[in-house]
Amino acid sequence: MIEVADTMDLYLSMFERFEKQRGRGAWLLPIRKAAISRFAELGFPTTADEEWRYTNVGPIAGTAFEPAPEGAFLAGKLRPLLFDGGAAAPRLVFVNGRYTPELSSMGVLPKGVRLMSLREAIDREDETVRTHLARHARHEDQAFTALNTALLDDGAFLEVARGAIVEKPIQIIYVSTRGQTAWMANPRTLIVAGESSQVTVVETYVAAESGVYFNNVVTEIVAMENAVVDHYKVTRESDEAYHIGTLQLDQRRNSNVHSFAGSFGGGLVRHDIHTVLDGEGCDCGLNGLYMVDGTEHVDNHLVVEHAKPHCDSREFFKGILDGKGKGIFSGRIIVRPDAQKTDAKQTNMSLLMSEDAQVESKPQLEIFADDVKCTHGATIGQVNDEAVFYLRSRGLNEEAARGMLVHAFASEVLDRVKIEPLRAQLEELVVERLPQRGLLKRIA
């Protein structure tokens, strides 16, 4: 660990070197400079900041991360992550934050759908990228977003033209490998769904091997009028890794956006999800499942902003905590004065598997309109002993009975995953992380 002031100087120096080496993308330079300046002003958040009250980023602030090194990843190891064996399925693959064309495939995309590395789009001075990149996720008041914006170099860019329908899920896979020293990457994903378009995107972060690294992630999704976007983000980071992810959703009139956040690994993981329902008739669904064990720490921080009338939102998050793991859920629904006829519901449920596990749940409603329907609820509990007794009376031992109940608890969220191969992968991850995994596999 080093002094925080030293790491701030390190990032400022990293920015200076980065700009000298980068060369192209000059149009983005004023935004980068404003972002690094704002990061220097904000500094790293501390537990004195209300939004970071339960998550201490001191270990990140005190680590001298180097830029991500070159990494290698064999195509055979990628196969278990792919749907339908990867045949004709569009995907972008990044290793340590860098686009890797030999592992990627454009598949068969409908007319009007563009999928490419963000670096290529920046260098091309793409009009859509210039219009939307760094325009939605605010770096003015979010330190990690500011750092990502200043140092963003690569990531994924997807544009779906007006009326286009993408039938196959598009996979964006970020692989992290071990480095000689602790390293950091700043992946950026920009998705723009045009009017009346439909697309499904699966964004995955996976560790190829154990190691200390920091993925500082920002994803911006813009859903134009009548667009339908299904988005899934799955983190499977190293136990020694840090993952701070910002997801910014901007919805226009009558758009329908559903996003799922699944956390199945990482020393410290934080999901900042902010959606703005900025047109009448929007529908937004945010679902999530996280599992922690050992000393893992997962923080889900949601802000749903109803800015226009006649919009619906649903948030449903569940956590399963074992060992000395810690989970945080903070859900904030804001209903602006003009957002009459809002219908919003938020539910958070946590299951404690050990006496040492900790959970914090903080649901909030801020309502500035008078004709709305808003509810929230949070429950924290343990496995129901009566249900365990019932299953034991049917011939199961106690471990298998508890495992089945935990699996059923998780399934209520996983059933909302519409992509069958992804749902199967997630169910396997749930089973693998349970102490009773062998028994559950045999029962299944």
Side-chain angles (χ1 to χ4, degrees), residues 340-411:
Q340 303 292 349
K341 302 296 182 180
T342 286
D343 187 350
K345 183 178 181 180
Q346 179 186 101
T347 304
N348 172 226
M349 305 173 73
S350 302
L351 188 63
L352 298 177
M353 301 292 292
S354 79
E355 294 182 356
D356 294 323
Q358 300 179 54
V359 65
E360 303 286 350
S361 186
K362 185 182 177 184
Q364 303 172 75
L365 296 176
E366 298 181 18
I367 302 172
F368 303 98
D370 53 16
D371 187 5
V372 302
K373 182 167 63 175
C374 298
T375 62
H376 64 68
T379 60
I380 301 171
Q382 298 176 323
V383 175
N384 187 293
D385 288 335
E386 290 184 4
V388 171
F389 178 80
Y390 174 82
L391 291 174
R392 292 192 65 186
S393 70
R394 295 300 185 270
L396 297 180
N397 64 33
E398 184 170 354
E399 279 194 339
R402 290 184 178 276
M404 287 192 70
L405 290 171
V406 173
H407 189 266
F409 178 83
S411 294

Side-chain angles (χ1 to χ4, degrees), residues 18-287:
F18 173 76
E19 282 307 314
K20 290 178 181 178
Q21 296 169 0
R22 187 69 176 86
R24 291 181 290 180
W27 64 271
L28 196 55
L29 183 57
I31 298 174
R32 294 186 193 276
K33 286 184 174 180
I36 195 65
S37 176
R38 188 58 181 149
F39 172 70
E41 293 172 0
L42 290 170
F44 288 100
T46 71
T47 53
D49 299 311
E50 183 60 31
E51 293 189 350
W52 293 86
R53 181 178 175 185
Y54 301 110
T55 297
N56 180 12
V57 298
I60 296 176
T63 301
F65 293 103
E66 295 291 331
E70 298 283 348
F73 192 68
L74 298 177
K77 293 183 177 180
L78 185 68
R79 197 166 293 117
L81 298 173
L82 304 180
F83 308 145
D84 302 324
R91 66 179 181 271
L92 295 180
V93 181
F94 301 80
V95 179
N96 295 354
R98 293 180 175 84
Y99 175 56
T100 309
E102 60 269 24
L103 297 177
S104 303
S105 171
M106 294 302 106
V108 180
L109 292 171
K111 183 179 179 181
V113 178
R114 298 193 299 147
L115 178 66
M116 68 184 77
S117 80
L118 185 58
R119 181 170 188 170
E120 178 185 352
I122 291 172
D123 289 345
R124 287 183 181 182
E125 300 194 4
D126 184 272
E127 182 179 350
T128 301
V129 172
R130 293 192 64 162
T131 300
H132 292 287
L133 183 64
R135 310 296 183 182
H136 305 281
R138 292 178 53 81
H139 63 260
E140 291 83 0
D141 50 10
Q142 301 290 335
F144 288 106
T145 300
L147 183 60
N148 174 284
T149 302
L151 298 177
L152 76 89
D153 184 40
D154 211 345
F157 169 54
L158 169 65
E159 181 180 21
V160 185
R162 177 179 181 178
I165 298 176
V166 186
E167 295 183 356
K168 286 183 175 291
I170 294 175
Q171 292 188 264
I172 301 171
I173 303 173
Y174 292 97
V175 179
S176 297
T177 66
R178 182 195 295 272
Q180 297 282 332
T181 60
W183 59 263
M184 75 171 296
N186 294 275
R188 190 84 174 215
T189 300
L190 174 63
I191 300 168
V192 181
E195 292 182 17
S196 303
S197 65
Q198 296 182 30
V199 67
T200 298
V201 180
V202 182
E203 189 180 345
T204 303
Y205 296 82
V206 61
E209 51 199 334
S210 62
V212 180
Y213 59 85
F214 172 31
N215 272 324
N216 181 33
V217 176
V218 175
T219 298
E220 295 175 292
I221 299 177
V222 183
M224 297 298 187
E225 185 172 344
N226 295 311
V228 177
V229 179
D230 284 331
H231 171 257
Y232 301 86
K233 179 183 176 182
V234 180
T235 54
R236 301 167 57 181
E237 303 281 25
S238 159
D239 289 344
E240 303 169 88
Y242 306 98
H243 180 107
I244 304 293
T246 296
L247 171 61
Q248 181 70 46
L249 306 172
D250 186 16
Q251 294 189 231
R252 310 294 168 84
R253 184 184 179 92
N254 292 326
S255 61
N256 187 312
V257 176
H258 282 211
S259 183
F260 171 89
S263 298
F264 301 92
L268 189 157
V269 176
R270 163 113 170 186
H271 299 293
D272 269 305
I273 304 171
H274 187 180
T275 182
V276 181
L277 286 72
D278 200 20
E280 290 193 33
C282 292
D283 185 274
C284 176
L286 304 177
N287 301 307

Side-chain angles (χ1 to χ4, degrees), residues 273 299-304 315 317 328-334 346-348 360-366 376:
I273 304 171
D299 184 348
N300 290 293
H301 191 93
L302 281 61
V303 178
V304 178
E315 297 86 59
F317 271 67
I328 296 97
F329 175 85
S330 175
R332 182 178 168 206
I333 297 174
I334 305 172
Q346 179 186 101
T347 304
N348 172 226
E360 303 286 350
S361 186
K362 185 182 177 184
Q364 303 172 75
L365 296 176
E366 298 181 18
H376 64 68

